[in-house]
Amino acid sequence: MGYINTRECLDALEERGELVRIDTPVDAFIEAGAIQRRVFRAGGPALLFTKVKGCRFPMAANIYGTRERMRFIFRDTIATVQRLMKLKLNPMEALKKPWQYLGAPRTAWHTMPRTVETGPVMECEAALSALPGLVSWPMDGGAYVTLPQVYTESPDNPGFAGSNLGMYRVQLSGGEFLPEREVGLHYQIHRGIGHHHAQAIARSEPLRVNVFVGGPPAMTLAAVMPLPEGLAEVFFAGAMAGHRIPMVRHEGGLPIPAQADFCLCGRIMPGEQKPEGPFGDHLGYYSLTHDFPVMRVDRVYHRPDAVWPFTTVGRPPQEDTVFGEFIHELTAELVPSVFSGVHEVHAVDAAGVHPLLLAVGSERYVPYAEDRQPQELLTNAMALLGNTQTSLSKYVLIAAREDLAPGMSCHDIPAFLDHLLRRVDLARDLHFITRTTMDTLDYSGISLNQGSKLVLAAAGKVKRSLAAELPADLDLPRGFRDARVFAPGIMVLKGPAHRRKRDQQDPALDALGEALSQVRGIEGFPLIVVADDAAFTARDWDNFLWVAFTRSDPATDIYGAGAFTHAKHWGAKLAVIIDARLKTYHAPPLEPDPEVERRVDALGGPGGPLHGII
């Protein structure tokens, strides 16, 4: 059976040697988050801050900081849940190997929450100001809940079956929010809570919202799980927890997990919005201040021994990376059942997840063709852009499974890009979708929530050799320099500072494309990336992926050597150029506070609680 609450989980981790208590007073303002990130990068243990300055509640971090720890926490149920997912793929398996699925009915029973009259979470109340004021980055606009479980029910169809549980960030303080009465609720485009909010607005009613913090670890996992439309996250939580989640049916309000550490109960009033942000986000930049819904807080409940779990996000990898890897482990075999013809997907964490999606699909439409071209692959790519969280992808790079070497996976990024760049027809195989919806956190587009997408599909024979040395007569226009080979077929070079306005292309990049089209051998570099710092960008794959795909909008920032437009189709005869410079309108990258980093260094020194860990 899975852990029923946070304390039980932390006790088990401590007994296993996977938790360290920090009894030194720690500030929730910047310091606690900096410690968590440093310990995560070191592959270190979970942390329990027992003395938080100015706060009576302890804080816990890095609980899910390694895949091994994640598997340990869910060790009792992970195999059964995976079998249940396989059963969805092939129901006949249960008849062929019934002994493997004996636990399935019991797991199905666990999915249904259990209604109880009360629980530990209802025993105490607190003011909003009493909660830990976690500020993760220096420019954050206030304190945030960073592991929230935001629960709503459909106003048109109330109850667990019509519920949504999501991890939408909650701003506890700062800005224009009324102290002790209001918090900001930032939910991104294409989130389940949006459907409930729309229903409430149509009914001219407030939308009731409960924000849970802590409790069964399975509830935290469920809040980030990309489940199919219509499948309530609380049901998945029960399966992952290995027991029915006890929920208190609060009179006149939404249910509350009996074992949660905290619960903020409130309402979003129709038409009420206030500025939320800035917030240091998981793409590695600040998301800036924008109007989002306001939640009026009616009550804050907490259990007597409450612990405040938290994480921080920033440039990947971070603790949320582990969630993504674990979710992939659970769902990889379900991909073909959700996306017909798609065999594998990889939302690239180093590129911020949504900016870059790699995929393997089938290309069977014209199997008799002497040289196949992407056709079914385009159907596959459009399916990916039309369903679930993959619809937020900005770049979709998809290759035909029929062409892959045995054992090749799109999770092997260098090998996959090498395969794709050898086969893509740059004049034919780039397909743009312009002025469409995009990830709320991505500032590379033409406005908030709006930008473009690119599908780059490759199938058929090898079309070029990839160069490993710069062309001998490479002559760059003024302002461009420091060209270097990053990988076979990929060149990185430094460009002048960007000075254009949003939604404008840069004539300097057109001039670069024209100049490169005259260089002999440039066809050996089908991908050229222009950056502010070529050395940093070309240092490793993490840097390259982060710079190239988080700092560019396909329609605005792609140029070409031998570029042309024909019947509204854009292509390049020789090479594609991505302008990955920081733009005048981009949000600033996250930078740590040097003084706080020095304090963290001291904690890792001899005699410090983190000695030998960081």
Side-chain angles (χ1 to χ4, degrees):
M1 178 175 292
Y3 299 114
I4 64 171
N5 56 44
T6 304
R7 283 282 182 181
E8 188 176 83
C9 178
L10 296 178
D11 288 345
L13 293 178
E14 186 170 33
E15 183 177 353
R16 183 179 162 87
E18 289 270 359
L19 179 140
V20 168
R21 291 174 179 264
I22 309 294
D23 296 325
T24 304
V26 168
D27 200 332
F29 182 81
I30 309 296
E31 187 177 20
I35 293 170
Q36 181 267 323
R37 291 190 295 274
R38 292 277 291 276
V39 172
F40 169 80
R41 287 201 301 271
L47 303 169
L48 181 62
F49 300 99
T50 61
K51 295 178 181 178
V52 180
K53 293 180 180 179
C55 181
R56 69 178 187 270
F57 297 111
M59 300 171 69
N62 210 39
I63 299 171
Y64 310 99
T66 67
R67 291 181 74 171
E68 293 72 21
R69 193 148 61 243
M70 184 77 87
R71 291 193 194 100
F72 172 76
I73 290 171
F74 297 107
R75 65 193 181 281
D76 292 339
T77 56
I78 182 173
T80 303
V81 170
Q82 285 177 317
R83 285 197 296 269
L84 207 59
M85 291 182 173
K86 290 179 183 178
L87 196 58
K88 178 184 182 297
L89 279 176
N90 186 2
M92 290 301 294
E93 279 294 304
L95 298 179
K96 295 177 183 177
K97 303 174 182 177
W99 58 90
Q100 289 188 4
Y101 298 92
L102 293 177
R106 184 170 63 251
T107 301
W109 168 248
H110 291 157
T111 62
M112 184 56 62
R114 177 169 57 92
T115 301
V116 296
E117 291 187 4
T118 189
V121 70
M122 307 301 295
E123 292 185 26
C124 306
E125 291 191 46
L128 277 174
S129 59
L131 302 178
L134 178 75
V135 177
S136 303
W137 292 96
M139 289 173 54
D140 281 0
Y144 279 85
V145 188
T146 56
L147 281 178
Q149 307 152 39
V150 181
Y151 181 87
T152 56
E153 292 184 358
S154 165
D156 294 343
N157 182 32
F160 293 124
S163 69
N164 179 76
L165 187 72
M167 194 165 285
Y168 317 123
R169 73 179 189 234
V170 177
Q171 185 171 348
L172 289 176
S173 65
E176 299 177 13
F177 302 117
L178 297 178
E180 307 294 359
R181 293 175 54 192
E182 293 179 342
V183 299
L185 185 56
H186 175 123
Y187 66 83
Q188 295 160 250
I189 196 168
H190 199 294
R191 303 298 181 182
I193 189 176
H195 303 307
H196 294 172
H197 196 185
Q199 291 173 12
I201 291 171
R203 298 162 68 104
S204 298
E205 296 176 357
L207 177 67
R208 292 194 174 276
V209 181
N210 280 354
V211 179
F212 316 137
V213 182
M219 289 287 283
T220 299
L221 177 63
V224 298
M225 192 75 185
L227 296 175
E229 192 83 20
L231 178 58
E233 289 82 2
V234 290
F235 296 163
F236 175 83
M240 228 36 234
H243 63 265
R244 297 177 66 191
I245 303 293
M247 302 286 281
V248 179
R249 266 291 176 186
H250 185 47
E251 185 177 349
L254 296 175
I256 301 171
Q259 294 291 337
D261 288 83
F262 298 86
C263 178
L264 285 66
C265 302
R267 299 156 289 153
I268 299 175
M269 306 302 292
E272 282 197 2
Q273 296 180 350
K274 286 189 176 181
E276 183 269 353
F279 178 75
D281 232 313
H282 73 262
L283 267 69
Y285 309 89
Y286 286 96
S287 55
L288 303 179
T289 302
H290 300 282
D291 285 350
F292 279 95
V294 178
M295 175 180 163
R296 294 187 185 179
V297 178
D298 299 320
R299 313 285 284 271
V300 178
Y301 295 102
H302 68 89
R303 56 189 300 139
D305 59 346
V307 177
W308 184 267
F310 77 92
T311 189
T312 62
V313 292
R315 182 189 160 185
Q318 300 289 348
E319 189 176 4
D320 57 343
T321 300
V322 182
F323 278 104
E325 292 171 345
F326 188 69
I327 288 169
H328 173 76
E329 190 176 320
L330 287 174
T331 62
E333 294 192 49
L334 287 179
V335 168
S337 71
V338 178
F339 306 106
S340 179
V342 178
H343 305 285
E344 186 182 24
V345 294
H346 179 194
V348 179
D349 183 71
V353 181
H354 292 316
L356 178 61
L357 181 72
L358 308 180
V360 175
S362 289
E363 187 48 72
R364 303 165 295 185
Y365 279 5
V366 189
Y368 49 82
E370 182 178 348
D371 186 15
R372 292 172 301 105
Q373 67 182 57
Q375 296 180 82
E376 185 179 2
L377 287 183
L378 300 182
T379 302
N380 296 339
M382 294 306 160
L384 289 167
L385 289 175
N387 288 280
T388 68
Q389 294 304 307
T390 61
S391 67
L392 294 176
S393 303
K394 182 168 61 174
Y395 287 88
V396 178
L397 277 54
I398 186 167
R401 183 173 68 167
E402 292 77 5
D403 302 326
L404 297 183
M408 181 179 287
S409 164
C410 61
H411 282 77
D412 183 348
I413 296 174
F416 185 77
L417 288 184
D418 185 275
H419 169 94
L420 187 142
L421 291 175
R422 291 179 189 275
R423 288 166 174 78
V424 64
D425 185 334
L426 299 177
R428 181 193 65 199
D429 295 339
L430 278 72
H431 304 273
F432 292 85
I433 304 170
T434 61
R435 298 186 181 272
T436 187
T437 53
M438 65 185 298
D439 186 3
T440 304
L441 305 180
D442 192 327
Y443 281 83
S444 67
I446 60 175
S447 67
L448 185 68
N449 293 328
Q450 189 178 27
S452 65
K453 300 177 186 294
L454 171 67
V455 173
L456 191 155
K461 298 176 181 177
V462 170
K463 296 173 178 60
R464 70 180 59 79
S465 296
L466 302 181
E469 295 182 1
L470 294 174
D473 61 346
L474 181 64
D475 186 17
L476 298 174
R478 183 178 179 181
F480 296 92
R481 57 188 175 86
D482 197 17
R484 54 186 70 206
V485 177
F486 170 66
I490 302 177
M491 182 191 302
V492 174
L493 54 92
K494 176 180 174 60
H498 183 269
R499 303 194 187 282
R500 311 298 293 184
K501 294 180 180 179
R502 186 184 290 277
D503 200 19
Q504 289 185 352
Q505 288 202 289
D506 190 342
L509 271 292
D510 287 322
L512 174 66
E514 179 61 31
L516 290 176
S517 69
Q518 308 303 314
V519 175
R520 287 180 299 173
I522 200 66
E523 65 276 7
F525 290 96
L527 179 57
I528 299 169
V529 173
V530 179
D532 297 298
D533 185 338
F536 172 84
T537 304
R539 185 174 301 156
D540 54 41
W541 276 98
D542 281 354
N543 284 5
F544 174 80
L545 295 166
W546 185 58
V547 171
F549 297 103
T550 65
R551 299 183 181 183
S552 61
D553 171 71
T556 305
D557 297 323
I558 284 186
Y559 303 80
F564 69 92
T565 302
H566 175 73
K568 300 183 179 64
H569 175 79
W570 186 93
K573 296 175 183 177
L574 299 171
V576 166
I577 302 168
I578 297 179
D579 180 3
R581 297 172 295 170
L582 279 171
K583 312 301 190 297
T584 57
Y585 46 86
H586 283 182
L590 302 179
E591 299 288 348
D593 183 314
E595 175 57 34
V596 172
E597 294 299 318
R598 282 191 287 271
R599 296 206 301 267
V600 177
D601 288 339
L603 295 174
L610 298 179
H611 182 59
I613 296 175
I614 62 172

